[in-house]
Amino acid sequence: MSAVPPEPTPSQAPPTLATPTREPEPTSTKPSDFPKVKLRLELRDLSHESTDLFLKNFNSAKDFADLVDVVLKRLYTFPNHDDPTTSLPTPSTTKIPGTRSVTLILRDMDGVAYTTGSDIDNDHKEVHLSLSYLNHVASARAGYTARDEILGVVCHELVHCFQWNAKNTCNGGLIEGIADWVRLNAGFVPPHWKKEAGKSWDTGYQNTGYFLDWIEKSRGTGSVYVINQALCHQKYHEDTFWKDLFGQSVDDLWTEYTESLKKPKDSLDDSSLKMQVRIKKEVEGHS
């Protein structure tokens, strides 16, 4: 499991930006409205075969910055108030952790990746990525390449550099679920991911990520934004946290989600209708 550093110092961000959209690649080309972050790359073993694999599949001059922008947009943009898929109140302010730098370190280690604060201070983050793991995923699979996996893993870990954690009290499954929700909505979906109900809502990773995606669609676009902002302002108490935000306990939300998975795939629920309205509006706006 990826380690989440202690609570960082916040900075201000614009309260309302355009609604984020799914994109299969990091594609930001405009100057970001978010605070600039120093990005560094550290290669600890140039002779390792996975180092060459990484460099061939990751443009460190562009992909790194684009992924940071992807993460910040999905965590810290709130949809326009007239968006028909949004039922949540417009927030007055948005606070972003005061992360000043992120160093991506490639080294030979067990596991996949983890994130931690650096020795300088906690506003300087380190993302450690396993060369051994990259060697394991080197072979391309139909519709999914080593580049897809590298972008997906780095995207997940970057979320840990910029998300809130309720003053170190947040449920670990929610922390990991938010990271995989961002990865899911950025389009970096591994072939083994499945939208299914696990043992509990806080199993973490894609299991919780898909649950959060359902909340986003059923309770209003910007729901994950609201969850993350709540984790900035207060400690996490499960018996009140979810009810304060959505008027239901997380167990009730989870039950509703698991029931939704039993519906025929071709049936249209309320979230599907909302999505159709938004797509229709976007199409009409470009016609």
Side-chain angles (χ1 to χ4, degrees):
M1 180 178 291
S2 306
V4 180
E7 195 77 8
T9 303
S11 59
Q12 293 294 117
T16 304
L17 296 171
T19 303
T21 57
R22 293 174 186 256
E23 48 193 316
E25 292 282 334
T27 55
S28 67
T29 56
K30 300 177 182 178
S32 176
D33 293 311
F34 296 105
K36 298 297 182 183
V37 179
K38 178 74 72 176
L39 302 175
R40 302 183 179 92
L41 178 64
E42 182 178 325
L43 308 175
R44 292 193 177 178
D45 187 354
L46 292 176
S47 64
H48 198 291
E49 56 186 327
S50 289
T51 300
D52 185 55
L53 170 74
F54 175 85
L55 293 174
K56 287 179 178 178
N57 287 279
F58 189 87
N59 184 339
S60 56
K62 183 179 185 297
D63 290 338
F64 203 178
D66 286 348
L67 282 172
V68 169
D69 206 43
V70 163
V71 168
L72 289 174
K73 283 179 178 177
R74 280 160 178 77
L75 285 178
Y76 295 104
T77 57
F78 192 82
N80 293 327
H81 192 64
D82 59 354
D83 187 330
T85 67
T86 304
S87 60
L88 301 169
T90 303
S92 57
T93 59
T94 298
K95 290 189 176 181
I96 302 177
T99 300
R100 298 168 60 191
S101 74
V102 180
T103 303
L104 178 57
I105 301 172
L106 270 70
R107 65 187 184 89
D108 200 3
M109 65 179 194
D110 294 332
V112 178
Y114 69 90
T115 298
T116 185
S118 74
D119 292 336
I120 301 174
D121 63 54
N122 195 54
D123 287 343
H124 298 272
K125 311 293 186 185
E126 293 180 353
V127 173
H128 293 247
L129 181 58
S130 169
L131 288 170
S132 301
Y133 176 74
L134 292 183
N135 188 53
H136 172 69
V137 300
S139 58
R141 286 165 282 181
Y144 193 75
T145 65
R147 173 172 168 78
D148 294 324
E149 181 66 7
I150 290 170
L151 292 174
V153 171
V154 175
C155 178
H156 174 106
E157 294 303 325
L158 283 173
V159 175
H160 294 326
C161 297
F162 296 102
Q163 70 185 143
W164 295 106
N165 62 16
K167 307 181 187 302
N168 301 313
T169 66
C170 185
N171 180 298
L174 179 55
I175 289 290
E176 297 297 341
I178 290 174
D180 266 359
W181 176 83
V182 172
R183 179 176 178 174
L184 169 67
N185 281 266
F188 309 124
V189 184
H192 67 273
W193 279 20
K194 294 180 180 179
K195 186 187 295 186
E196 57 187 6
K199 293 181 179 179
S200 65
W201 75 269
D202 58 352
T203 306
Y205 299 100
Q206 75 269 17
N207 183 71
T208 304
Y210 278 116
F211 173 50
L212 292 173
D213 201 52
W214 171 82
I215 291 177
E216 183 82 3
K217 292 179 173 66
S218 65
R219 298 303 187 268
T221 305
S223 291
V224 177
Y225 166 97
V226 170
I227 290 171
N228 184 54
Q229 283 297 292
L231 294 174
C232 163
H233 297 292
Q234 63 192 55
K235 291 186 177 181
Y236 181 82
H237 299 286
E238 191 164 297
D239 56 339
T240 59
F241 182 83
W242 299 90
K243 287 183 179 179
D244 289 345
L245 296 181
F246 304 109
Q248 292 177 270
S249 70
V250 69
D251 291 332
D252 287 342
L253 289 167
W254 178 251
T255 298
E256 188 177 336
Y257 168 64
T258 57
E259 289 299 318
S260 74
L261 297 179
K262 300 175 183 178
K263 295 180 181 179
K265 292 184 179 180
D266 58 351
S267 66
L268 290 176
D269 57 14
D270 185 54
S271 62
S272 299
L273 293 173
K274 287 181 178 180
M275 184 64 71
Q276 285 191 5
V277 170
R278 188 173 71 176
I279 293 173
K280 184 175 183 294
K281 182 179 178 182
E282 289 176 353
V283 171
E284 290 175 347
H286 288 86
S287 61

